[in-house]
Amino acid sequence: MENKIVQPVITAESLTKKFGHFTATDAITFQVKKGEIFGFLGANGAGKTTAIRMLCGLLMPTSGNASVAGFDVFTQTEEIKKNIGYMSQKFSLYEDLTVKENIRFYGGIYGLSNSGLKEKTEILLSKLKLKNEARHLVKSLPLGWKQKLAFSVALIHEPAIVFLDEPTGGVDPITRRQFWEMIYEAAYCGTTVFVTTHYMDEAEYCDRVSIMVSGKIAVMGTPDALKKGFSVKTMNEVFLKLAR
Amino acid sequence: MIEVREISKRYVDILALNKISFTVDKGELFGIIGPDGAGKTTLFRILATLLLPDDGSARVNDWDVIKQYKKIRKNIGYMPGRFSLYQDLSVQENLEFFASIFHTSIKNNYENIQTIYEQIAPFKNRKAGALSGGMKQKLALCCALVHNPEVLFLDEPTTGVDAVSRQEFWESLIELKNKGMTILVSTPYMDEASLCDRVALMQTGRIMEINAPEAIIQKFSKKLWAIKADNTYHLLKDLQSFQHIDTCFPFGENIHVTLLHGEADMNDLRKYLQEKQHQELTITTILPVIEDCFMDLMTEDILH
Amino acid sequence: MFAFIHFVKKETYHIFRDKRTLLILFGMPVVMIILFGYAIRNDIGRSDLAVVDEAHDAYSAKLIAEINASAYFDVVKVLPNEASIDNSFRKEEEKIVLIIPPHFGQHLFQPQTGKAQVRIVADASDPNLATSLTNYATAIINTFQGHISTISQPPLAIIQDVRMLYNPEMKSVYEFVPGLMALILMLVSAMMTAITITREKETGTMEVLLASPLPPALIILGKITPYILLSFINALLILGFGNFLFHVPVHGSLILLLAESVLFILTALSLGILISTVAVNQQTAMMISLGGLLMPTVVLSGFIFPLSSMPVALQWLANFIPAKWFIIILRDIMLKGNGWGYVWKETMVLLIMTLFFILLSIKRFKIRLS
């Protein structure tokens, strides 16, 4: 990659969220650069979801600072929402709408013009090889296709950052890899990818990962550096060593 | 202990199970490995006597799943795919309730669940809804075990659970197996296959392969390389456009590659990648893991 | 039995830990009875009254004066004849008119020449107001009768003829209590059971229960037992509030009334179970309960709209609404004081319906999924 200094698109400084006496995220600090694939790992209940919700402007932090795509998470949540894409395993597409209707709906809510929408729809359909299924209901598609479609739809307004919450759960191994190819491609085109996963081999696909343990970021770095630091061979072992 | 013969099940327009056959021996830890939509849940429901197969027959502990369902229900522990405890009841209350529906009590079978129960005992007055994912699964396992069943059916017990909890869960399963329990477990995580005595690899309603994990790996006939370079995405793109490529899949930090003519194409590939100016290039011969085998079987499937 | 007790215990935990459901369960009957009761409240202050005095004698004047002197009425108008009453009512100038026919005084003291009559005509478009007004008016006339009787023997008799315009059936708060009771019991028993059973389907716990040795009938019985008790408490609550706040009487046997309530609760529960065998999730269960039970109970049971004025087809359809029969039974026992001899036919209808629903749900309830 080029050797220029890249501005961070996500910065978090001592970002904290408390629910009553319970501190869900405890003063986390990190930066994510433009075009980076950042793996955000942690055990269930370590505070990942809370952190992502704060970064997406859905949850007001208790203290600390954070900016996403240059906008402040305290005061500019509306701007943040316009500049990010979000996809999760649980919520992504409307099952009872067709492929085309879903694309048009999401394009519409992100303010794409009518002609822009038409063009985007065509590009998306041919890229995903879904032209013949354009008029099929989403629920009739295999899971892997749904997830690929959901990812493309999350990118429809060309956001600076896309948040992916366990995007590949339950998907077959080949489709999972095709999905990651799409992630690579998006990152290569300059989109920052912020992703959580339970598949530890997927953690290795990331440029950098952070692992959260009980509300704090325990370690952060490239997968190689983390593995060397713990003198182990796989990210899975890093994860197990940390969380135990 | 479990005997499945040519079972088929169709939902309106989907063939969920397509002539599935396998047997599980007493005391075996048998894994059903496959992604969503493979038919795992349908298979479990048929064995737990909750669904009738359209075709074929199945026996659990030599009882027929259709005719002798009552006997089976008394003697199995079943943990469905969706989390199935009462969120508004405490850990203790859940366990007591599930013991009572099998006409027993926690005390009667305490030694059965002791090792797992001790891990959740500190939270026994907490509501099940307030437990972490890993803890919930342990509690669900306890509930399935509390009546001392002869066979355990666990449908995707580790899905959505973090790596640590998953490892702990599997340690519990292996411990149960060592005590003589027969366990049928399904999972979408391929790396969990190696923890089973034998596995069935499932995809879209069919079993592609049944064997011990090591045997499946030995059957993998192609030569497999792990290739690594500084930029994985470029490497992948270049590999995909290499003319003698058979398969190339990202795998952790590497890309796993098979070639059309095996070893014979390797020199060409080396030259090709050097031409493309990949930095820090390493190419090593490796042994496959279950996931490689699964993908190989899937590609073969698509070809046929 | 052991498993059953634990099942009921577990079900009770669910109910008492869900504060919102609990609030609906016990809050709704109270709120509804207060709303219905006060929306048709029946205590009033001084009201306007018109007279049509065709007698024009000393006694008619005395009667009018006595009414005017009472705490309830102001005599505001003298109408020329009966025909003008309708017009006056339509202008909503007053709600009640007293008509004193010719020769009132003469008939009063010489009964052989005819009967002394008065007629009271009330605007019953507000039924409760009309009842109260006529009750007051008749009371005053009775007092008047008592006054003048002291000066003559034998006692004088005034025949009162009360007519209600616009709502001859005179539905009152009394009659809403049976309807309300049917409505609330139907809602609580049927909807709550349907929802609680489908909830287990949704969370997947039903799968585990079915795969256990528990007989399906026991699962259902365990789930509804706490609701039988809750519904019964609800019935008591409605009766109690009706009696305490609005003095709704129970003229007949309380035991019989409660027994009939239990029967109706069972009807509703069996309907709830039937719904749960059809619905796959709580939302559908709720929709079916509201559309399939609540609406017909409100519209076709005679609760709000009198069945007698409906098209024949609807009257025929109403026979299939359990609430219709229950309301008839309740009115018989509570308001008319009738006993078993009068309500056994309706009770049989309910009983047959209940058995039918239970059989149907047992038939529909599967020992397996789908």
Side-chain angles (χ1 to χ4, degrees):
Chain A
M1 280 264 206
E2 296 92 322
N3 253 343
K4 66 182 176 196
I5 298 156
V6 203
Q7 280 292 313
V9 286
I10 303 177
T11 56
E13 270 171 51
S14 309
L15 194 62
T16 302
K17 178 71 193 180
K18 289 183 182 169
F19 297 105
H21 293 292
F22 174 67
T23 309
T25 51
D26 190 359
I28 56 171
T29 300
F30 64 92
Q31 293 191 337
V32 183
K33 292 188 291 262
K34 182 174 157 58
E36 195 173 22
I37 302 174
F38 188 77
F40 198 61
L41 313 181
N44 303 111
K48 287 176 300 180
T49 311
T50 309
I52 291 181
R53 286 195 180 146
M54 286 193 283
L55 294 175
C56 289
L58 299 173
L59 198 62
M60 190 62 95
T62 310
S63 63
N65 281 311
S67 81
V68 173
F71 300 105
D72 188 83
V73 293
F74 283 93
T75 56
Q76 296 171 296
T77 53
E78 289 315 305
E79 281 82 358
I80 289 177
K81 287 178 198 168
K82 278 179 208 154
N83 285 282
I84 60 167
Y86 178 79
M87 175 211 159
S88 84
Q89 184 193 357
K90 285 147 220 140
F91 166 76
S92 38
L93 302 169
Y94 292 97
E95 300 260 306
D96 53 350
L97 296 186
T98 66
V99 171
K100 207 169 181 171
E101 284 161 353
N102 264 292
I103 298 175
R104 294 188 68 96
F105 171 75
Y106 279 103
I109 61 171
Y110 282 110
L112 259 61
S113 70
N114 224 354
S115 58
L117 247 180
K118 241 178 210 157
E119 195 185 330
K120 265 275 174 199
T121 310
E122 286 309 305
I123 295 173
L124 264 184
L125 288 178
S126 63
K127 204 170 101 187
L128 293 170
K129 302 193 181 76
L130 279 175
K131 276 216 156 136
N132 293 327
E133 283 79 13
R135 286 175 194 288
H136 291 196
L137 293 185
V138 162
K139 67 175 161 205
S140 69
L141 297 181
L143 177 71
W145 289 25
K146 272 186 215 167
Q147 298 302 79
K148 285 195 237 172
L149 177 62
F151 180 62
S152 308
V153 165
L155 289 174
I156 198 163
H157 55 299
E158 293 163 14
I161 305 154
V162 62
F163 289 88
L164 307 175
D165 195 2
E166 286 179 45
T168 55
V171 176
D172 74 69
I174 292 184
T175 315
R176 210 147 66 77
R177 285 171 173 80
Q178 291 166 347
F179 192 90
W180 270 91
E181 243 186 279
M182 291 174 70
I183 294 182
Y184 277 132
E185 193 188 315
Y188 182 69
C189 298
T191 311
T192 305
V193 180
F194 193 96
V195 60
T196 72
T197 178
H198 282 312
Y199 293 95
M200 281 305 133
D201 64 317
E202 291 189 346
E204 316 240 12
Y205 303 159
C206 302
D207 296 321
R208 271 193 317 141
V209 297
S210 74
I211 301 180
M212 275 185 87
V213 178
S214 51
K216 294 191 170 81
I217 291 185
V219 287
M220 184 159 51
T222 63
D224 272 343
L226 292 183
K227 282 184 280 182
K228 277 195 192 111
F230 283 87
S231 333
V232 290
K233 285 206 182 74
T234 63
M235 279 306 290
N236 198 33
E237 291 167 87
V238 174
F239 194 86
L240 292 180
K241 277 206 164 179
L242 256 178
R244 274 208 161 161
Chain B
M1 199 68 185
I2 304 171
E3 203 183 335
V4 178
R5 269 206 209 122
E6 304 259 298
I7 281 225
S8 294
K9 178 77 186 174
R10 175 181 286 280
Y11 298 115
V12 196
D13 50 352
I14 304 163
L15 192 58
L17 289 178
N18 187 1
K19 292 192 177 163
I20 296 283
S21 302
F22 66 91
T23 55
V24 179
D25 297 330
K26 194 167 167 50
E28 200 176 13
L29 176 54
F30 192 94
I32 306 279
I33 317 282
D36 287 8
K40 304 190 295 288
T41 299
T42 307
L43 177 64
F44 272 82
R45 285 181 172 166
I46 289 175
L47 291 177
T49 75
L50 293 174
L51 273 183
L52 295 177
D54 294 340
D55 219 352
S57 67
R59 301 181 81 78
V60 175
N61 205 6
D62 215 28
W63 293 310
D64 186 86
V65 290
I66 302 169
K67 293 188 201 102
Q68 292 165 295
Y69 73 92
K70 281 188 182 159
K71 283 196 172 139
I72 295 179
R73 288 181 183 187
K74 277 199 188 101
N75 289 286
I76 59 162
Y78 173 48
M79 188 172 152
R82 283 175 302 166
F83 176 62
S84 317
L85 295 169
Y86 295 102
Q87 312 273 320
D88 55 342
L89 299 191
S90 72
V91 169
Q92 185 79 16
E93 287 162 351
N94 264 296
L95 206 49
E96 268 168 14
F97 173 72
F98 283 104
S100 77
I101 62 172
F102 286 95
H103 305 280
T104 180
S105 65
I106 303 176
K107 254 191 203 149
N108 284 345
N109 290 309
Y110 187 67
E111 60 185 72
N112 228 345
I113 54 169
Q114 191 176 7
T115 43
I116 309 162
Y117 184 67
E118 275 165 3
Q119 299 171 37
I120 46 175
F123 311 103
K124 68 177 184 186
N125 292 321
R126 197 182 279 190
K127 300 267 161 67
L131 293 177
S132 73
M135 284 293 168
K136 275 183 193 170
Q137 297 309 84
K138 276 178 204 159
L139 174 56
L141 182 61
C142 271
C143 291
L145 276 173
V146 72
H147 58 294
N148 197 14
E150 295 182 46
V151 192
L152 258 188
F153 293 104
L154 310 173
D155 189 10
E156 296 205 21
T158 53
T159 296
V161 175
D162 65 72
V164 178
S165 305
R166 258 161 58 195
Q167 173 129 350
E168 287 172 3
F169 194 87
W170 274 96
E171 282 166 9
S172 305
L173 289 191
I174 288 163
E175 200 175 312
L176 284 171
K177 187 201 87 170
N178 291 338
K179 283 188 194 162
M181 180 82 71
T182 310
I183 305 171
L184 185 71
V185 58
S186 71
T187 176
Y189 299 102
M190 308 278 155
D191 54 345
E192 291 177 352
S194 58
L195 302 165
C196 303
D197 295 329
R198 282 192 306 144
V199 295
L201 303 185
M202 268 189 95
Q203 167 78 4
T204 54
R206 284 183 52 258
I207 291 184
M208 301 187 294
E209 174 76 60
I210 306 175
N211 224 324
E214 313 81 51
I216 291 178
I217 287 168
Q218 269 173 18
K219 262 192 174 174
F220 190 87
S221 54
K222 296 170 192 165
K223 190 129 188 160
L224 188 70
W225 287 275
I227 304 181
K228 194 183 169 186
D230 64 335
N231 188 320
T232 316
Y233 179 59
H234 287 289
L235 179 63
L236 182 63
K237 282 280 155 203
D238 288 340
L239 283 170
Q240 281 170 345
S241 47
F242 179 61
Q243 59 178 13
H244 298 304
I245 201 79
D246 180 26
T247 60
C248 61
F249 295 118
F251 229 102
E253 54 180 345
N254 303 305
I255 293 176
H256 286 192
V257 169
T258 59
L259 297 170
L260 285 176
H261 312 109
E263 196 77 61
D265 288 328
M266 198 57 216
N267 274 334
D268 286 350
L269 181 63
R270 269 179 213 280
K271 258 183 232 154
Y272 170 81
L273 290 178
Q274 272 154 14
E275 273 167 29
K276 295 279 182 182
Q277 300 191 327
H278 285 283
Q279 303 297 307
E280 299 166 37
L281 190 70
T282 56
I283 301 177
T284 34
T285 319
I286 52 158
L287 282 175
V289 292
I290 288 289
E291 196 158 355
D292 291 301
C293 305
F294 194 96
M295 288 191 287
D296 188 52
L297 290 164
M298 268 181 83
T299 2
E300 262 176 41
D301 239 37
I302 293 162
L303 291 179
H304 292 153
Chain C
M1 205 56 206
F2 170 75
F4 180 72
I5 291 167
H6 276 266
F7 207 115
V8 173
K9 199 168 119 192
K10 171 219 122 191
E11 209 51 42
T12 317
Y13 285 148
H14 287 321
I15 296 168
F16 283 97
R17 284 181 190 170
D18 186 359
K19 298 281 177 293
R20 245 181 314 168
T21 311
L22 214 54
L23 193 69
I24 295 175
L25 222 51
F26 291 113
M28 190 179 63
V30 175
V31 169
M32 273 173 97
I33 196 153
I34 289 174
L35 275 180
F36 270 99
Y38 281 110
I40 45 182
R41 49 184 284 142
N42 46 10
D43 49 328
I44 29 169
R46 280 185 87 87
S47 308
D48 293 348
L49 179 139
V51 288
V52 179
D53 186 0
E54 290 166 340
H56 282 296
D57 55 30
Y59 287 96
S60 71
K62 220 173 173 173
L63 176 57
I64 293 168
E66 182 125 0
I67 286 174
N68 202 18
S70 76
Y72 302 106
F73 296 109
D74 290 318
V75 178
V76 289
K77 205 191 286 176
V78 177
L79 293 171
N81 50 37
E82 260 192 86
S84 54
I85 293 175
D86 189 50
N87 194 28
S88 189
F89 275 175
R90 283 185 195 281
K91 284 194 212 142
E92 303 215 4
E93 281 166 352
E94 63 282 311
K95 297 283 185 197
I96 184 164
V97 178
L98 175 71
I99 303 162
I100 308 173
H103 318 298
F104 176 69
Q106 190 190 345
H107 290 328
L108 200 56
F109 286 97
Q110 296 163 327
Q112 62 279 11
T113 60
K115 283 172 185 160
Q117 285 189 352
V118 292
R119 288 212 297 281
I120 298 165
V121 181
D123 173 358
S125 53
D126 179 345
N128 279 72
L129 184 66
T131 335
S132 311
L133 292 179
T134 51
N135 284 342
Y136 294 143
T138 48
I140 294 164
I141 295 165
N142 286 338
T143 322
F144 169 77
Q145 192 181 321
H147 286 168
I148 55 172
S149 287
T150 55
I151 50 168
S152 91
Q153 278 301 325
L156 305 171
I158 300 173
I159 294 162
Q160 302 184 21
D161 173 19
V162 178
R163 267 201 302 147
M164 297 290 178
L165 289 189
Y166 312 127
N167 181 3
E169 276 191 43
M170 274 311 300
K171 302 183 122 241
S172 70
V173 66
Y174 291 1
E175 316 231 348
F176 273 104
V177 167
L180 209 54
M181 191 128 144
L183 181 69
I184 289 170
L185 291 185
M186 187 52 92
L187 205 66
V188 170
S189 315
M191 191 156 88
M192 291 292 177
T193 21
I195 286 178
T196 175
I197 296 174
T198 42
R199 184 182 299 151
E200 298 236 10
K201 284 194 198 174
E202 238 174 78
T203 53
T205 38
M206 189 56 94
E207 223 173 301
V208 179
L209 295 182
L210 281 177
S212 80
L214 274 189
L218 205 68
I219 299 179
I220 295 304
L221 209 60
K223 285 208 78 77
I224 64 169
T225 304
Y227 285 91
I228 298 180
L229 198 68
L230 282 177
S231 306
F232 190 70
I233 294 173
N234 253 323
L236 290 178
L237 213 59
I238 299 165
L239 284 177
F241 264 84
N243 191 272
F244 178 69
L245 283 180
F246 306 109
H247 314 293
V248 178
V250 180
H251 289 311
S253 152
L254 187 64
I255 308 277
L256 180 60
L257 181 71
L258 293 180
E260 296 281 358
S261 303
V262 171
L263 174 62
F264 185 67
I265 289 168
L266 290 178
T267 319
L269 288 173
S270 56
L271 269 170
I273 298 169
L274 195 61
I275 291 174
S276 74
T277 61
V278 184
V280 278
N281 55 37
Q282 295 180 62
Q283 206 184 348
T284 333
M286 178 101 90
M287 295 301 270
I288 300 178
S289 307
L290 288 178
L293 292 184
L294 194 59
M295 281 294 290
T297 302
V298 170
V299 179
L300 285 178
S301 66
F303 169 34
I304 290 179
F305 310 110
L307 286 173
S308 50
S309 55
M310 280 184 192
V312 184
L314 284 184
Q315 286 189 34
W316 182 78
L317 200 64
N319 288 332
F320 296 95
I321 309 294
K324 173 194 158 169
W325 304 102
F326 184 54
I327 290 177
I328 295 175
I329 293 172
L330 283 186
R331 283 182 181 161
D332 269 0
I333 299 176
M334 288 175 76
L335 307 177
K336 296 183 194 152
N338 289 340
W340 171 247
Y342 286 86
V343 295
W344 70 271
K345 271 185 249 158
E346 286 83 1
T347 310
M348 282 300 140
V349 174
L350 272 187
L351 201 62
I352 289 166
M353 278 183 170
T354 311
L355 288 178
F356 173 75
F357 291 140
I358 288 177
L359 281 178
L360 197 63
S361 358
I362 290 175
K363 224 177 145 186
R364 285 207 48 104
F365 191 84
K366 293 174 193 108
I367 54 162
R368 299 189 166 84
L369 297 168
S370 74

